[in-house]
Amino acid sequence: MDTQVFAALSVETLPGRLGGNTILKEKIGEDSAQWTVKEVGDGNLNLVFIVSGEKGAAIVKQALPYVRLVGESWPLPLKRSYFEYHALVRQSQRDPGMVPEIFFFDAAQAIIAMEFLTPHVILRRALIDGHILPKIGRDLGLFCARTLFRGSDFSMATRDKKADVALFADNVELCDITENLVFSDPYFEATLNRHTSPQLDPIVAELRGDRDLKVEAQRLKHLFSAKAETLCHGDLHTGSVMVTDDETRVIDPEFAFYGPISFDVGMLLANFWMSYFAQSGHESDNSGRDDMRAYLLDTVEIIWETFRAEFANLWRNERKGILYQASLFEEQGDLLGAEQALNIVLDEIYREMLGFAGIEMHRRILGLAHNADFETIADPNHRAACEKKALKLGRHLAVNRHRIHSLKDVRATAERLQKETLA
Ligand code: SR1
Ligand code: MG
């Protein structure tokens, strides 16, 4: 394997370049001339190959020195694969079995070779196709609680935490993407923005003139950039989850950074709410999607309730870090004090989470990086009608997050918006 000057892999060159790698030979087959290689990357940034042979298969993911979605005019450093690798290592320790097994990492070539997940499919695709997956709510709630609690000051010793913050602090360019694409660009006429036009023009103008919304978006951006609370996945949407009926795996943490605990949870829930509003665009099989819609709203509640319960469990049993030491509470017999603090921490996560969810819904409809839930609705009038509901819910969540008492209230708002006509 060459580990010197970076060169992008291709279907043709991959067997020759990686064919000497002992681990890949063990996983795929000894003779790389017999390997079959398929490029399957459908994300915005990287090359992804499925490499198979007589023994099995592996995924070879390689970062490119630019944003694939836009092209070479937008350079992006290869070091993002280093952060992805380190995030995967930590996530697999903090919630074992929930991320793909890593076979090897080559920093110079920005390659991560990992387990080929099969017959898994991307969760977003499964939801567009109307598949009900009963386990994901619990699995994703646990994943968020375990990775976010165990990577935080509630769990980590001060030296380890600071060293890790320093390591991930260099993931600058990917944080910069989120800071602009998520928190700012949707709210002005940024060059790379697009939206379903002219159908959404009036609501887009309204949102860009909405002072309260813009102030909230910037408050949330402030949290994103300044609240280095835990190691976040950084891009936890339904395209970063692979599923079967029985298994859930989280992939692609290249945007990993130290940020607010609420960030990953908010991004994730936003993607279920968007899927909810997009369902009517995928009812062409006349099967009706009422059950699917109910399932998506149920899943939001299950993720949040599971997150809360597991976070509380870890708080009570693994709170060994910098903050809220047991010496101040449990060791003085003050169990109620520890519970009071837990409730305050969880309430703050909840309020921030709603805000991040609202902003994520806006950026997927108004910014550069849209999602397939809406994009695959061919009729622009129908697509715009679905998107408009998500934009309204997003505004409500971002601006009114301190007045929304529970996710039952959000459910009622989503259901009311869903009943609005498609005009
Ligand atoms: C230029 S990158 C656009 C988006 O793709 C990634 O998946 C992230 O969501 C990012 O915001
Ligand atoms: Mg990704």
Side-chain angles (χ1 to χ4, degrees), residues 67-353:
V67 174
R68 187 177 181 174
L69 173 70
V70 175
E72 295 186 32
S73 61
W74 187 342
L76 200 62
L78 300 173
K79 66 184 177 189
R80 64 186 187 270
S81 72
Y82 169 85
F83 300 112
E84 174 165 358
Y85 165 72
H86 279 284
L88 284 167
V89 169
R90 284 152 184 72
Q91 289 167 345
S92 78
Q93 287 161 354
R94 290 170 184 161
D95 194 8
M98 277 296 286
V99 299
E101 184 194 342
I102 298 169
F103 297 154
F104 74 86
F105 169 56
D106 178 339
Q109 295 302 320
I111 290 173
I112 304 174
M114 62 193 126
E115 180 184 4
F116 171 48
L117 299 171
T118 182
H120 302 63
V121 294
I122 294 285
L123 173 57
R124 192 187 301 288
R125 188 70 248 167
L127 299 180
I128 290 170
D129 292 343
H131 290 152
I132 287 181
L133 297 144
K135 277 191 84 246
I136 56 168
R138 184 172 156 74
D139 289 346
L140 291 172
L142 289 176
F143 177 80
C144 288
R146 289 171 181 169
T147 57
L148 298 171
F149 184 94
R150 290 177 171 150
S152 78
D153 290 326
F154 302 122
S155 167
M156 291 179 80
T158 190
R159 184 164 298 281
D160 299 339
K161 167 76 185 326
K162 266 85 176 166
D164 223 40
V165 170
L167 187 150
F168 281 94
D170 194 30
N171 204 6
V172 183
E173 291 77 5
L174 275 75
C175 285
D176 183 57
I177 287 180
T178 305
E179 285 154 12
N180 289 307
L181 258 50
V182 175
F183 295 101
S184 290
D185 288 7
Y187 303 107
F188 72 101
E189 286 186 21
T191 325
L192 293 171
N193 282 351
R194 65 188 172 85
H195 63 260
T196 307
S197 181
Q199 291 86 344
L200 291 181
D201 290 355
I203 190 169
V204 173
E206 204 181 295
L207 294 174
R208 290 189 180 145
D210 188 330
R211 183 178 299 146
D212 291 340
L213 175 61
K214 288 187 290 182
V215 169
E216 274 315 313
Q218 291 311 293
R219 289 181 69 195
L220 291 157
K221 185 177 185 178
H222 187 172
L223 287 172
F224 176 89
S225 67
K227 193 171 183 177
E229 200 174 30
T230 192
L231 180 63
C232 299
H233 176 286
D235 197 24
L236 190 54
H237 52 75
T238 49
S240 298
V241 180
M242 297 197 69
V243 290
T244 66
D245 285 345
D246 310 311
E247 260 201 16
T248 311
R249 301 286 191 97
V250 177
I251 60 170
D252 279 1
E254 66 203 310
F255 281 78
F257 74 113
Y258 269 85
I261 290 175
S262 51
F263 182 73
D264 280 354
V265 192
M267 293 297 236
L268 185 62
L269 296 196
N271 280 265
F272 283 94
W273 281 314
M274 285 189 278
S275 176
Y276 172 81
F277 290 117
Q279 289 298 316
S280 81
H282 306 295
E283 278 174 303
S284 52
D285 52 2
N286 292 325
S287 60
R289 294 283 181 108
D290 286 346
D291 289 353
M292 188 65 196
R293 274 185 282 269
Y295 158 76
L296 288 164
L297 296 184
D298 288 346
T299 301
V300 164
E301 290 171 27
I302 294 169
I303 291 174
W304 177 248
E305 285 314 321
T306 307
F307 170 82
R308 268 187 73 97
E310 181 66 358
F311 192 94
N313 168 43
L314 297 172
W315 177 276
R316 290 172 194 134
N317 296 300
E318 290 189 15
R319 209 175 73 254
K320 306 267 161 41
I322 308 162
L323 298 174
Y324 301 95
Q325 300 105 300
S327 52
L328 299 175
F329 298 105
E330 288 89 340
E331 288 169 21
Q332 294 180 24
D334 186 11
L335 297 183
L336 282 181
E339 292 298 302
Q340 181 178 323
L342 168 64
N343 286 332
I344 291 169
V345 167
L346 279 171
D347 188 59
E348 192 165 285
I349 295 172
Y350 168 76
R351 309 265 159 220
E352 293 175 5
M353 173 278 285

